[in-house]
Amino acid sequence: MILKNFKELLDYLKTPRNIVVIGHRNPDGDALGSTLGLKHYLDKKGHKTQVLMPNEYPDFLHWVPGSKTVYRFDRQNKQSVRELSKSELVFLLDFNALHRVGDDMKNTLEKYENDFALIDHHQQPDDFAYMYSDTGMSSTCQMVYNFIEMDGGLDEIDENIATCLYTGIMTDTGSFRFRSTTSKTHQIIADLIDKGAKNDKIHSNIYDSNSYSRLLLLGQALTNLEILPEFKTAFITLSQEEKDKFNYEKGDTEGVVNYALSLKGIVFAAIFIEDKEQGIVKISFRSKGSFSVNKFARNHFNGGGHDNASGGKSTVSLKDTTSNFISLLPNYKQELLKSYEE
Ligand code: 5GP
Ligand code: MN
């Protein structure tokens, strides 16, 4: 764990400030929950806080309290830049390096003259003025709870804050089932429910909002599933054409990779999603046990993340990307075969 200048940060926040809070590109439940949870808390403490996101977040997150107040850097660029220039401090939540917000926003942030405060659970964070980094944490939302606790503010947690934080902890732990879920995570969740988070409603808002076309896209993804039992590996592909056929919308492929990982005996799963507009294949990796998909994504697919969940991208065709992927597996055969033994 890294705690850098944190006491100084809490002291700095004793005076009302203009603050911007930023999540990563393609924000997920943890990015949106943590930024908005922190915003609600800071606002209650007398600060003026604006959340900025690099781009759109999926439909199934549009109900999160405060989401309507978020500025998108790609669409509301003028407002976003104005908020940044007014601000005295920028919080970076749920990502570890500025490039994770995308090139446009990164260029703007690189010129930012005041300090950054990082709260994040990804590996190998860059250096910022204030840092709270802990790769053992289930989620950034759990860290925002800890931040509020360190600030002596647990009594300030109301239904809105509790709902935001519950959302990110739930989504980043695969509904409390990943190894990163500890008894402390459950204690925090219990406190958030006591403070007004409606667990059944939040779960339903996130997971029961499928469109018919999303289910058909899932059907296509499962049809495309390939299994490589000799490497305990399974992967899924989705071409641009298939996405178009089933009216793909952002967020539709969220969680699909987990179907590959749910196969008995599989310890390594991937999904390759063609994105013609960006000219890339976006990849998600998941693993069970000791096989680090963070390292795999870093070494071969220009990405990173966590030991058991990571992502990356490729600029060659979908077919060449999966061929490359398959050709790498023999190098990892021993690691893959023993991944889930412990
Ligand atoms: P997902 O597969 O859900 O998009 O991402 C899984 C994890 O990997 C997340 O923690 C995310 O932050 C990280 N991740 C996804 N894509 C990338 C990427 O292109 N680069 C890096 N460094 N991390 C990524
Ligand atoms: Mn996260």
Side-chain angles (χ1 to χ4, degrees), residues 99-100 122 254 282 284 286 302-306 309-313:
H99 70 85
R100 297 280 293 124
H122 292 88
E254 195 81 37
K282 182 73 190 111
S284 290
R286 299 290 185 271
N302 206 0
H306 310 283
S310 71
K313 53 185 165 302

Side-chain angles (χ1 to χ4, degrees), residues 168-180:
I169 299 175
M170 182 188 79
T171 54
D172 256 32
T173 57
S175 301
F176 320 112
R177 70 200 168 96
F178 298 154
R179 203 176 280 187
S180 59

Side-chain angles (χ1 to χ4, degrees), residues 24 28 30-31 34 94-95 120-122 138-141 168 172 306:
H24 56 79
D28 56 7
D30 193 30
S34 61
D94 201 35
F95 64 100
D120 178 49
H121 65 140
H122 292 88
S138 72
S139 53
T140 302
C141 279
D172 256 32
H306 310 283

